[in-house]
Amino acid sequence: ESDSGEYLRAVLQRGGSSAAEYKRKSYALLDVSEGMSVLDVGCGVGVDLLPLLNLVGKSGMVIGLDQNPDLLEQARMSDVARDNANVLLFQGDAHHMTFPTESFDRVRADRTIQHCQNPVQVIREMWRVLRPNGVLTIVEPDWKGIVLYPASPQGADNDSTLARLFGWYERNLAHALIGRQLRSLLSQMGSLAWSVTGVEAVAFSFTDWHAADTILQVTNAARALALEDVAAAGAIDEWLSGLQRATADREFYAMIPLFYGYACKSTNIR
């Protein structure tokens, strides 16, 4: 779990300008003003707590929710959580939140829904705790839309290793193709639930393998795949080494599509 926490912190520290821009856009779509209350669903180790606190100010409130106690413990040990009474952290299941109805002005989930067994239920819960006219934002990848080069030890048109990895994601993530589903998921709330809904897709480019791997964690997934598929382990190791060489040789390229879903809760339903 400590590796997961370090990875989340590294997203901004080593992910480069594309990673920083992805975060900036997620905050901009949330449209936070001073004095608001914001719920971060799946807050993890709390990498978003400080940016959100800067937006709501001393008169606002930032609440983090996560089911993983180890990640939450890391969040509680952070300076932003220790030094600010208006930052609160709770352990809980996003499918069944214990917060009162209409508690928050803004609700966000950043790469969280892909891990949830029932995304529709989670979105219903986020809608429930959101105040009328409140804004919801969801940021998710779509694993089969990701581009990596080289995609196998052979390179060129051969993408056999990456294709194997996509299969691993589909087997091991609850919803590996969640990004393309965001519009449908928001619509399943019914036509009167939201006054505005939308989905934007943004492609972020990387020419450094380490920066891309910081966000995607491909190395960890590939090693897990190698344990499952012993026959492919050699090719997987060769591919990972090749990705590092490709960066040094200025051949590496990655494109990561991130989907931004946003919605404004209608004032017509209570």
Side-chain angles (χ1 to χ4, degrees), residues 18 21-27 29 137-140 179 182 186 198-202 204 258-262:
S18 289
E21 179 56 33
Y22 126 63
K23 285 293 188 183
R24 280 195 294 268
K25 183 173 180 62
S26 76
Y27 305 140
L29 283 175
T137 63
I138 301 171
V139 185
E140 292 292 345
L182 289 185
L186 291 170
V199 176
E200 297 181 21
V202 181
F204 294 96
L258 288 175
F259 293 77
Y260 294 81
Y262 55 91

Side-chain angles (χ1 to χ4, degrees), residues 2 15-16 34 43 49 53-54 57 66 77 100 102 105 115 130 142 149 158 177 186 190 202 210 235 238 244 246:
S2 60
E34 190 169 345
C43 65
L49 296 178
L53 181 62
N54 290 336
D66 205 282
M77 292 172 61
E102 298 181 4
D105 299 298
H115 303 291
L130 193 62
D142 194 291
Y149 184 84
N158 190 315
L177 306 181
L186 291 170
V202 181
H210 298 290
E238 187 179 350
Q244 297 184 48

Side-chain angles (χ1 to χ4, degrees), residues 42-83:
C43 65
V45 298
V47 294
D48 295 298
L49 296 178
L50 182 58
L52 294 173
L53 181 62
N54 290 336
L55 293 171
V56 303
K58 294 183 182 296
S59 60
M61 182 72 67
V62 177
I63 307 295
L65 176 73
D66 205 282
Q67 196 166 15
N68 187 313
D70 297 319
L71 296 183
L72 271 180
E73 182 60 26
Q74 293 183 61
R76 291 190 175 107
M77 292 172 61
S78 67
D79 290 342
V80 63
R82 287 199 307 250
D83 298 343

Side-chain angles (χ1 to χ4, degrees), residues 1-268:
E1 300 299 341
S2 60
D3 289 343
S4 298
E6 177 58 30
Y7 143 60
L8 289 171
R9 293 194 189 284
V11 165
L12 293 183
Q13 294 171 354
R14 293 189 282 119
S17 60
S18 289
E21 179 56 33
Y22 126 63
K23 285 293 188 183
R24 280 195 294 268
K25 183 173 180 62
S26 76
Y27 305 140
L29 283 175
L30 202 58
D31 191 25
V32 180
S33 299
E34 190 169 345
M36 287 185 172
S37 59
V38 179
L39 172 64
D40 189 11
V41 177
C43 65
V45 298
V47 294
D48 295 298
L49 296 178
L50 182 58
L52 294 173
L53 181 62
N54 290 336
L55 293 171
V56 303
K58 294 183 182 296
S59 60
M61 182 72 67
V62 177
I63 307 295
L65 176 73
D66 205 282
Q67 196 166 15
N68 187 313
D70 297 319
L71 296 183
L72 271 180
E73 182 60 26
Q74 293 183 61
R76 291 190 175 107
M77 292 172 61
S78 67
D79 290 342
V80 63
R82 287 199 307 250
D83 298 343
N84 296 278
N86 56 340
V87 174
L88 300 175
L89 298 166
F90 295 91
Q91 183 181 354
D93 183 357
H95 296 83
H96 306 284
M97 291 190 267
T98 57
F99 302 116
T101 297
E102 298 181 4
S103 299
F104 301 99
D105 299 298
R106 301 288 187 266
V107 178
R108 72 187 298 272
D110 186 342
R111 294 176 300 152
T112 296
I113 307 297
Q114 62 181 309
H115 303 291
C116 297
Q117 291 301 317
N118 189 337
V120 173
Q121 174 63 21
V122 172
I123 291 174
R124 287 188 182 280
E125 275 292 275
M126 292 193 290
W127 179 88
R128 180 185 65 79
V129 302
L130 193 62
R131 293 177 180 139
N133 254 351
V135 174
L136 165 71
T137 63
I138 301 171
V139 185
E140 292 292 345
D142 194 291
W143 287 94
K144 275 197 171 179
I146 290 168
V147 171
L148 286 177
Y149 184 84
S152 73
Q154 293 77 25
D157 295 324
N158 190 315
D159 67 348
S160 58
T161 311
L162 184 59
R164 284 178 183 268
L165 191 64
F166 285 153
W168 184 91
Y169 285 121
E170 288 190 281
R171 293 191 302 273
N172 289 276
L173 286 177
H175 303 282
L177 306 181
I178 194 70
R180 67 190 72 180
Q181 301 174 47
L182 289 185
R183 186 166 185 263
S184 173
L185 292 171
L186 291 170
S187 297
Q188 289 180 47
M189 286 292 301
S191 60
L192 299 179
W194 310 107
S195 59
V196 176
T197 61
V199 176
E200 297 181 21
V202 181
F204 294 96
S205 295
F206 296 83
T207 55
D208 184 279
W209 161 239
H210 298 290
D213 198 33
T214 296
I215 292 180
L216 294 178
Q217 289 293 280
V218 168
T219 296
N220 289 348
R223 287 173 177 163
L225 171 60
L227 293 175
E228 289 183 10
D229 189 348
V230 177
I236 291 168
D237 288 342
E238 187 179 350
W239 176 55
L240 291 174
S241 298
L243 288 166
Q244 297 184 48
R245 288 195 303 272
T247 293
D249 295 340
R250 297 190 172 188
E251 295 181 0
F252 174 80
Y253 181 79
M255 186 278 290
I256 304 173
L258 288 175
F259 293 77
Y260 294 81
Y262 55 91
C264 181
K265 185 173 180 177
S266 174
T267 58
N268 297 325

